[in-house]
Amino acid sequence: MCPQPARAGSMGSPGAPAGWGLLDYKTEKYVMTRNWRVGTLQRLLQLGLMVYVVGWALLAKKGYQEQDLDPQISVITKLKGVSVTQIKELGNRLWDVADFVKPAQGENVFFLVTNFLVTPEQVQGRCPEHPSIPLANCWAHEDCPEGETGTHSHGIKTGQCVVFNGTHRTCEIRGWCPVESSTVPVKPLLVQAKNFTLFIKNTVTFSKFNFFKSNALETWDNTYFKHCRYDPLSSPFCPVFQIGDLVAAAGGVFEDLALLGGAVGIRVLWDCDLDAGGSDCRPHYSFQLQERSYNFRTATHWWETSGVEARSLLKLYGIRFNILVTGRAGKFGLIPTIITLGTGAAWLGVITFFCDLLLLYVDGEAHFYWMTKYEEAKAPKVTANPEQTEQDSPPLHSAAQRSAMEQKPWRKREPWVPRGMELVQWASCCSVSGELSPRLCPQYSQQWPTHQLSALTLTLTVADSSLAWLPALLPLSAPPSQVEPPPSQLCYNGAYAARSTAR
C-alpha cells in the first residue's frame, strides 16, 4: 500500500514561510573533520579538565561533601610551673601561676610573665621627673610651667626646677613618687619559664551535623596528661606543650622573647571527614611568631598605718599567646556532587565551543568547514499536475557531462531522494506500459514528480519479469536538478537496479 503524502500546511510542508524566521528550528549537525590540530587540542583540554574535576575538585577539595565552616569553639588553658627571683627591691620571691599568668583564667589569650621592672612603695606626693622624659630637664623655674603635662610625663608640673641627682636637674611633678625608672633589663628574671607547661583544652561543635569533638584524648590512663608532651612527629595529638619548644616551633628564641617580651600565635585546625564516622577528626597545631616586644604595667595597692595609700608598680615583660581555633567538617551530599559534576560538564561544552571557533574562523580551511556544518534543509514541494512538472524540468545531461560530474565526490545527498524499499513500492504502482499511472498510484505521482526523481537512473533487464530484486543505493555525483530521465524510465514492470545520491 502506498504511503500518503504530507498535507499542505503541516509541519515541514511547503506551506511554511520561506527563509529564516522567528519560528524556524535549528538542530545540531555533527560533522567529522580530519583536522588533527584541532582534534589534538580538544583531547588535551578534555584530559586536563578531567584531571582537574576528578583529582582536584572531587578528591583533593572533597567537592562531593556538604561543608560546615563555622564551628562553635570552647578553649580552656592552664599553665603550670614555679620560678624564684632575687632582686634588691623585692628580695627573694617565689613566683607561681597566680603571679606570672595574666589573666588567671586564660582562654583564647593569656600572658606569661618572663621579666619585670619594679618600683616599690610609691605614694602620691611631689618629686622630680625622670630625666629620660621629654621636656623634663630644666635650668630654671621658668622652664617648668605650672600645670603642664606631657604625653610621657609621670605627673603634673608644679612650676619648680629641682635637682634629680648630681648630674641632672628636672621639673618637679605631683604624682606617684618616686617615679618609675626607665632602665632596660639586661637579662630575664623568670628564665625558668622555659620549662613551664601549657595545657590547651579545646572543644568544637559542628551544629550542622550535630557533631562535637574535644582535643583531649580519650584514655584510661589518668596520668597520661602528666607525662605526655606535644611533639609533631612522635606525639602530634598531645595537648600539653612545653613553653621553650613552643617558642622554638614558632621560629623564635626563648631568651630573646623572655627579655623584652613578644607574641606567639597558636593555631588549632580541625579538618573532619565525617564520612569515616568521626574517627578522622583530629586537631592539627601550628605556631607563628607575631611580635618581638611586649610589655604592660600593673600595680599592687595597700594602705599604710599612717593612712597613706601606697603601691608597688610592676612593668611586666613577657610572651602573649594568642590561640586561634578554626575548623571544617564535611559529609557526603548529593547536591554538592551534582554541582561539581555539572560544572565539569559545562566546561566540556566550553571546550567544544572554543574548538568550533578555531575550526570555523581560524583554520586555513575555515570556509569549507563552515559550508559543511551549516546547511538549510527544505521539505520537497507538492505539485498537483505531474505532466506540468515534466514540461518545466530541464533536459537530461549528456553522458560526457555526467562523467565529468562524477569526479566531484563532495556532492551532498538531497534529503528528498527515496530509498530502496520506496522504489519497490513505486515500481508496484507503475502501469504495464512503463509509464507513471496516476490512476494506479496517484499519491506517488503527486509526492514524487519527475523533476524530483531526476537523480535516479534505472537499468532495465527484460529477461526477468519479477520484482524480487531490491535496488542498490550507489553514489551519483550529478546534481538532481540537472538529470531528468523521461517518465518511461521511472516505471517498468520488471527487475531493475537503482542508483541514488549518497553525498
Side-chain angles (χ1 to χ4, degrees):
M1 186 173 181
C2 299
Q4 296 293 331
R7 297 171 180 253
S10 61
M11 182 178 294
S13 65
W20 294 103
L22 178 63
L23 300 181
D24 291 332
Y25 173 72
K26 296 180 181 179
T27 183
E28 292 184 357
K29 178 180 180 181
Y30 293 95
V31 179
M32 300 299 295
T33 62
R34 302 293 182 180
N35 192 313
W36 67 270
R37 295 183 299 272
V38 178
T40 303
L41 176 62
Q42 182 189 30
R43 297 308 179 201
L44 290 177
L45 292 177
Q46 289 176 344
L47 178 61
L49 178 62
M50 294 299 295
V51 172
Y52 168 78
V53 172
V54 176
W56 177 257
L58 280 179
L59 299 181
K61 290 300 182 179
K62 298 182 180 179
Y64 58 89
Q65 290 184 337
E66 294 186 31
Q67 303 288 332
D68 187 355
L69 304 178
D70 189 18
Q72 300 174 4
I73 300 168
S74 173
V75 178
I76 299 176
T77 60
K78 291 183 179 181
L79 196 66
K80 291 186 178 182
V82 292
S83 180
V84 178
T85 60
Q86 296 180 356
I87 57 176
K88 180 179 64 174
E89 294 83 359
L90 297 178
N92 295 338
R93 181 173 177 178
L94 178 69
W95 295 71
D96 59 9
V97 176
D99 299 319
F100 55 67
V101 175
K102 307 292 182 181
Q105 293 293 328
E107 295 184 0
N108 292 39
V109 177
F110 70 94
F111 179 81
L112 171 62
V113 179
T114 58
N115 204 0
F116 61 90
L117 293 176
V118 60
T119 307
E121 300 179 354
Q122 283 185 321
V123 295
Q124 292 192 17
R126 299 163 68 103
C127 59
E129 180 63 279
H130 197 276
S132 62
I133 301 301
L135 302 179
N137 294 274
C138 61
W139 296 101
H141 298 314
E142 290 77 8
D143 298 332
C144 304
E146 184 178 359
E148 185 182 63
T149 60
T151 303
H152 303 282
S153 177
H154 292 100
I156 301 174
K157 293 180 179 179
T158 62
Q160 301 294 319
C161 182
V162 297
V163 176
F164 179 80
N165 55 26
T167 58
H168 291 85
R169 293 172 59 89
T170 60
C171 295
E172 185 183 53
I173 62 168
R174 182 182 294 109
W176 288 97
C177 300
V179 295
E180 179 187 27
S181 174
S182 298
T183 305
V184 178
V186 294
K187 66 177 182 178
L189 298 178
L190 298 176
V191 69
Q192 295 89 346
K194 181 177 183 180
N195 299 321
F196 292 175
T197 59
L198 170 64
F199 173 69
I200 301 177
K201 186 177 182 180
N202 171 222
T203 302
V204 292
T205 301
F206 297 98
S207 56
K208 184 175 183 179
F209 304 114
N210 194 23
F211 177 83
F212 70 93
K213 192 70 178 288
S214 174
N215 69 330
L217 301 179
E218 298 179 0
T219 177
W220 295 100
D221 187 2
N222 296 329
T223 63
Y224 173 76
F225 294 107
K226 294 182 179 180
H227 62 263
C228 91
R229 296 293 182 269
Y230 171 82
D231 185 270
L233 299 178
S234 61
S235 184
F237 304 117
C238 177
V240 181
F241 305 84
Q242 192 167 6
I243 298 299
D245 297 338
L246 193 152
V247 173
V253 179
F254 177 80
E255 286 73 14
D256 296 340
L257 294 184
L259 181 62
L260 298 177
V264 174
I266 303 175
R267 184 183 181 188
V268 184
L269 174 62
W270 292 84
D271 190 2
C272 300
D273 185 0
L274 300 186
D275 290 331
S279 59
D280 188 15
C281 186
R282 300 287 184 83
H284 301 275
Y285 302 96
S286 60
F287 313 96
Q288 181 183 9
L289 182 61
Q290 298 175 334
E291 295 288 343
R292 292 185 177 273
S293 178
Y294 188 81
N295 64 79
F296 68 94
R297 291 171 176 83
T298 185
T300 303
H301 294 257
W302 70 89
W303 291 89
E304 294 185 348
T305 56
S306 60
V308 178
E309 183 184 8
R311 74 174 187 179
S312 289
L313 178 65
L314 291 175
K315 183 178 182 180
L316 302 179
Y317 298 86
I319 304 175
R320 174 190 173 101
F321 293 93
N322 303 311
I323 303 175
L324 175 63
V325 181
T326 59
R328 60 165 294 277
K331 194 173 184 179
F332 175 79
L334 182 60
I335 294 179
T337 305
I338 294 177
I339 292 176
T340 303
L341 296 178
T343 304
W347 278 107
L348 286 176
V350 173
I351 291 175
T352 302
F353 176 74
F354 175 72
C355 293
D356 280 350
L357 293 180
L358 294 180
L359 189 68
L360 299 177
Y361 295 98
V362 180
D363 192 85
E365 300 179 356
H367 178 72
F368 169 73
Y369 294 130
W370 178 279
M371 298 299 296
T372 306
K373 179 178 176 62
Y374 295 100
E375 175 183 0
E376 180 180 356
K378 295 182 179 180
K381 297 182 179 180
V382 177
T383 306
N385 191 350
E387 286 80 3
Q388 181 180 358
T389 304
E390 294 182 20
Q391 297 175 1
D392 296 339
S393 57
L396 181 65
H397 281 75
S398 64
Q401 290 175 329
R402 293 179 59 187
S403 176
M405 292 177 182
E406 290 180 355
Q407 299 177 2
K408 299 179 180 180
W410 48 266
R411 292 285 187 178
K412 299 186 294 296
R413 181 182 61 84
E414 296 295 333
W416 51 263
V417 175
R419 296 185 181 275
M421 291 304 299
E422 296 170 342
L423 293 178
V424 175
Q425 294 175 354
W426 176 283
S428 64
C429 294
C430 294
S431 63
V432 177
S433 62
E435 297 291 340
L436 181 64
S437 176
R439 179 179 61 80
L440 294 179
C441 195
Q443 297 87 348
Y444 277 100
S445 63
Q446 295 178 7
Q447 184 179 2
W448 294 334
T450 303
H451 73 277
Q452 292 181 349
L453 294 174
S454 58
L456 301 176
T457 302
L458 304 180
T459 303
L460 307 180
T461 305
V462 184
D464 194 347
S465 60
S466 66
L467 293 176
W469 291 9
L470 295 179
L473 298 179
L474 300 174
L476 181 65
S477 300
S481 60
Q482 300 177 2
V483 181
E484 291 290 343
S488 60
Q489 286 184 284
L490 295 177
C491 296
Y492 189 79
N493 189 15
Y496 63 91
R499 296 191 300 169
S500 63
T501 58
R503 299 181 187 267

